[in-house]
């Protein structure tokens, strides 16, 4: 079955430290992978995507993600976290005719 | 428009009433999606349109739910005979085509009392 997992419900990191939000997937064929962020009382905002090409993709707000085919992972990273990065993060893949979202990881960046 | 627009933002309705939720996608976007999101969880797929054609409705929970996009632009999600379990955030998204990133609206918070 096609699925995406985010193994951590919550990630806490100190401001200025690097952050990683984990995502693993189970998709047949070549995956089209995405990261979205949701701030409180807001809609989902697109951060970045991997379709093909370079395994390291860069997105909005200084975020990047690394596609690892052998580990079926697509972890979201940022070199230096900001308090304003605190939000709910969703990993997703496009399959068939729709996006399938993970359960989400809540990131808290502590000042 | 500049982004995906959904209306109303909030809807409180009595059990048994019908509701219609509207989505105005980004101009020129071919693909339109409806999702339902419970608090603190990921969005769950409801239905997908390519232009005016509803190409996938496998996520609609039951036959009380229906959706249309008659002219390939604005879409309406209708829930008939609402039940309390229908209470959720309903989100619409559009994209230029399949496999490209989707842009989400602010959502409609539906509360059935």
């Amino acid at each position: 079955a096609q699925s995406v997992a985010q193994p951590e419900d919550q990630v806490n990191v100190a401001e200025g430290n690097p952050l990683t939000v984990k995502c693993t997937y189970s998709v047949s064929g070549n995956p089209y992978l995405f990261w979205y962020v949701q701030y409180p009382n807001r809609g989902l905002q697109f951060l970045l995507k991997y379709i093909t090409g370079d395994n390291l993709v860069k997105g909005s707000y200084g975020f990047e993600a690394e596609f690892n085919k052998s580990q079926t992972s697509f972890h979201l990273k940022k070199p230096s976290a900001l308090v304003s990065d605190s939000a709910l993060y969703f990993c997703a893949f496009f399959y068939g005719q729709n996006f399938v979202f993970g359960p989400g990881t809540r990131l808290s960046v502590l000042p | 428009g500049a982004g995906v627009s959904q209306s109303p933002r909030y809807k409180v309705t009595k059990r048994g009433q019908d509701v219609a939720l509207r989505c105005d996608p980004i101009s020129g976007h071919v693909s339109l999606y409806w999702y339902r999101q419970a608090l603190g969880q990921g969005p769950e797929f409801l239905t997908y349109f390519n232009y005016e054609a509803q190409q996938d409705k496998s996520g609609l929970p039951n036959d009380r739910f229906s959706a249309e996009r008659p002219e390939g632009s604005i879409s309406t999600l209708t829930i008939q005979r609402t039940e309390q379990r229908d209470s959720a955030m309903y989100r619409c998204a559009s994209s230029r085509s399949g496999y490209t990133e989707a842009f989400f609206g602010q959502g409609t918070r539906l509360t059935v009392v």
Side-chain angles (χ1 to χ4, degrees):
Chain A
Q2 324 295 326
S3 65
V4 57
Q6 295 181 242
E8 301 158 317
D9 293 335
Q10 174 91 32
V11 170
N12 297 321
V13 63
E15 187 176 29
N17 283 1
L19 70 86
T20 298
V21 182
K22 296 179 180 178
C23 171
T24 59
Y25 63 89
S26 175
V27 180
S28 58
N30 294 321
Y32 295 83
L33 299 163
F34 301 80
W35 275 101
Y36 283 82
V37 60
Q38 185 173 18
Y39 298 102
N41 300 315
R42 301 281 295 276
L44 281 80
Q45 296 181 29
F46 167 73
L47 275 181
L48 51 79
K49 66 181 177 185
Y50 172 82
I51 303 296
T52 187
D54 194 348
N55 289 345
L56 184 65
V57 294
K58 295 184 183 299
S60 306
Y61 312 120
F63 283 93
E64 58 189 28
E66 185 169 12
F67 170 67
N68 188 317
K69 188 172 183 178
S70 63
Q71 297 185 3
T72 62
S73 67
F74 189 56
H75 300 332
L76 182 70
K77 300 181 180 183
K78 187 173 183 180
S80 178
L82 300 173
V83 172
S84 57
D85 293 330
S86 298
L88 192 54
Y89 290 80
F90 293 99
C91 182
F93 64 84
F94 191 88
Y95 180 77
Q97 299 186 105
N98 73 89
F99 292 85
V100 177
F101 287 85
T105 298
R106 186 165 300 280
L107 172 67
S108 292
V109 181
L110 309 173
Chain B
V4 178
S5 178
Q6 291 187 246
S7 60
R9 290 288 309 278
Y10 303 92
K11 177 69 176 178
V12 180
T13 189
K14 290 185 178 180
R15 189 176 55 183
Q17 297 294 307
D18 299 349
V19 295
L21 312 181
R22 173 188 164 115
C23 173
D24 192 351
I26 293 173
S27 178
H29 277 195
V30 168
S31 300
L32 186 145
Y33 309 84
W34 282 99
Y35 284 83
R36 181 166 66 175
Q37 185 178 20
L39 193 63
Q41 297 183 19
E44 292 183 313
F45 172 75
L46 294 175
T47 188
Y48 161 70
F49 289 86
N50 183 44
Y51 293 102
E52 72 281 1
Q54 188 176 24
Q55 297 199 329
D56 189 343
K57 56 181 182 179
S58 61
L60 296 177
N62 52 60
D63 60 7
R64 295 187 297 106
F65 287 73
S66 62
E68 62 175 9
R69 193 186 185 197
E71 297 180 356
S73 180
I74 292 171
S75 176
T76 302
L77 177 70
T78 301
I79 309 173
Q80 296 179 312
R81 306 180 302 280
T82 53
E83 301 177 5
Q84 285 188 324
R85 59 177 172 160
D86 300 333
S87 298
M89 177 70 82
Y90 289 82
R91 297 197 184 275
C92 175
S94 70
S95 66
R96 284 184 286 111
S97 64
Y99 299 98
T100 61
E101 60 271 24
F103 296 88
F104 282 79
Q106 295 276 58
T108 295
R109 168 73 65 189
L110 174 66
T111 303
V112 182
V113 297

